[in-house]
Amino acid sequence: MGGGPSEGPRRGRGAAARGGAKGGPRQSPQRGGGRTTPARPRELDARIEERNRERYANRPQTGSARPSGDQEGERLQKVLARAGVGSRRACEELIDAGRVEVNGEIVLEQGTRVDPEKDEIKVDGLTVATQSYLFFALNKPAGVVSTMEDPDGRQCLGDYVTNRETRLFHVGRLDTETEGIILLTNHGELAHRLTHPKYGVKKTYLAAVTGPLPREVGKRLKEGIQLEDGYARADHFRVVEQTGKNYLVEVQLHEGRKHIVRRMLAEAGFPVDKLVRTAFGPIQLGDQKSGWLRRLTNTEVGMLMKEVGL
């Protein structure tokens, strides 16, 4: 994708677009400046932290990866802090609690040195992305093309990340009129696995359709719908909300064929009025606003890597 400092502005890009993770192109003075990206509720972070403390409280202690006297590499707590795990002091406390592993061994010695480009570092069993990798989630608005550059000048994903010093690319695609979460990264192997059918990463969608909706439609979708390019099966289906003849349904599937959700529902007799992807694997859209880009947390990156065996 574009986005290097040498590029000039293109049509549709504004000051907010060049501002990085605080949102996409500014359409009016009311959008953009002064807002902050929605964060996870503090209560959720507190519950996760408490659960991890309980999980690792009685874990057996083993040796460290490298003694602190070895001057090769960087200090582990510094690497963890730079990766966004927490402050230097917080990372030292994680090491003391036996919650940090390097190459499969729990590290207990402060000052242990590691090579962030070669060593596998985990916190609470989840891999820490210590290399120069970037991971973002964008809530793509309707009308945005799922490409990093568009020769026709249409608004595209590249308009939301124009000031990055490294080339990012999108993980899979969303139809132009489909909204919701799409991942951006420069980690090629992770992106490849997340979209490869072998790993079966599930995507969750909310679709607005017009009823009445018979009870057996969910069973039919899960058993398989015959499309022009073969059968397509939903992994999960449920009615989320009904107001008269208007239904909001949730569809989860691991396929990535073009227009797959729209085609399945249309074939079942219920054309989609609006479609939003609410989750990509373990990464939830949550209350992230349309057009906003946010950096994935270290925990989220670890969950994605675990999902595809990295």
Side-chain angles (χ1 to χ4, degrees):
M1 113 186 177
S6 62
E7 289 193 4
R10 291 198 301 114
R11 189 173 69 183
R13 296 183 179 179
R18 293 188 291 274
K22 289 190 177 181
R26 183 162 55 191
Q27 303 299 326
S28 68
Q30 284 73 37
R31 294 189 63 188
R35 299 191 296 181
T36 56
T37 306
R40 284 191 313 188
R42 292 183 179 179
E43 293 81 1
L44 176 58
D45 284 332
R47 289 200 299 270
I48 293 174
E49 178 68 16
E50 181 62 27
R51 185 188 64 213
N52 287 331
R53 287 184 182 277
E54 293 175 356
R55 177 184 174 190
Y56 283 83
N58 299 316
R59 188 157 181 173
Q61 300 179 357
T62 63
S64 61
R66 286 191 186 90
S68 57
D70 188 341
Q71 295 304 306
E72 294 184 5
E74 298 180 69
R75 291 180 180 272
L76 178 57
Q77 57 265 48
K78 181 179 178 181
V79 172
L80 291 172
R82 189 175 64 242
V85 175
S87 66
R88 190 84 62 90
R89 178 57 188 156
C91 293
E92 290 173 352
E93 292 175 355
L94 290 174
I95 294 172
D96 286 338
R99 293 167 58 183
V100 181
E101 299 176 33
V102 177
N103 300 328
E105 294 185 345
I106 297 176
V107 174
L108 296 172
E109 182 180 347
Q110 298 293 342
T112 295
R113 292 182 175 272
V114 296
D115 183 343
E117 296 295 329
K118 298 179 180 179
D119 292 327
E120 181 183 51
I121 302 172
K122 293 185 177 182
V123 175
D124 295 335
L126 297 177
T127 301
V128 176
T130 56
Q131 298 89 343
S132 301
Y133 292 130
L134 297 173
F135 308 88
F136 296 96
L138 171 69
N139 184 355
K140 186 187 86 66
V144 175
V145 183
S146 289
T147 59
M148 304 313 294
E149 295 286 346
D150 185 72
D152 298 324
R154 295 173 296 178
Q155 197 171 46
C156 63
L157 302 177
D159 292 321
Y160 292 83
V161 288
T162 57
N163 68 338
R164 301 294 163 191
E165 295 180 359
T166 183
R167 179 179 182 271
L168 299 176
F169 44 89
H170 50 91
V171 181
R173 293 175 180 268
L174 282 177
D175 305 336
T176 302
E177 293 309 314
T178 299
E179 306 172 36
I181 189 168
I182 188 165
L183 304 181
L184 305 170
T185 185
N186 60 345
H187 193 303
E189 180 60 23
L190 177 63
H192 168 72
R193 294 194 184 195
L194 287 172
T195 54
H196 197 287
K198 171 184 175 181
Y199 297 96
V201 178
K202 295 179 180 179
K203 278 78 73 175
T204 306
Y205 298 82
L206 281 179
V209 298
T210 302
L213 204 66
R215 290 186 175 183
E216 63 270 16
V217 67
K219 180 180 179 182
R220 183 182 175 193
L221 288 169
K222 287 186 282 188
E223 288 179 346
I225 297 287
Q226 178 66 56
L227 303 176
E228 66 272 16
D229 54 353
Y231 268 95
R233 296 178 176 83
D235 297 303
H236 172 77
F237 176 88
R238 71 183 179 100
V239 176
V240 176
E241 184 180 297
Q242 178 190 358
T243 305
K245 291 185 177 182
N246 299 315
Y247 288 78
L248 191 63
V249 299
E250 183 179 81
V251 182
Q252 186 179 76
L253 70 169
H254 60 270
E255 292 201 50
R257 281 182 275 171
K258 189 174 182 179
H259 306 302
I260 187 68
V261 177
R262 293 180 183 275
R263 290 194 291 146
M264 289 176 67
L265 287 170
E267 186 64 28
F270 304 97
V272 173
D273 298 320
K274 182 178 180 179
L275 187 64
V276 179
R277 184 159 70 187
T278 58
F280 192 113
I283 309 303
Q284 302 289 322
L285 181 62
D287 61 357
Q288 186 174 339
K289 296 179 182 179
S290 180
W292 283 74
L293 180 78
R294 71 174 181 88
R295 191 160 187 164
L296 296 186
T297 67
N298 183 72
T299 299
E300 288 175 314
V301 174
M303 290 191 299
L304 278 176
M305 291 187 171
K306 185 176 181 180
E307 184 88 2
V308 294
L310 287 175

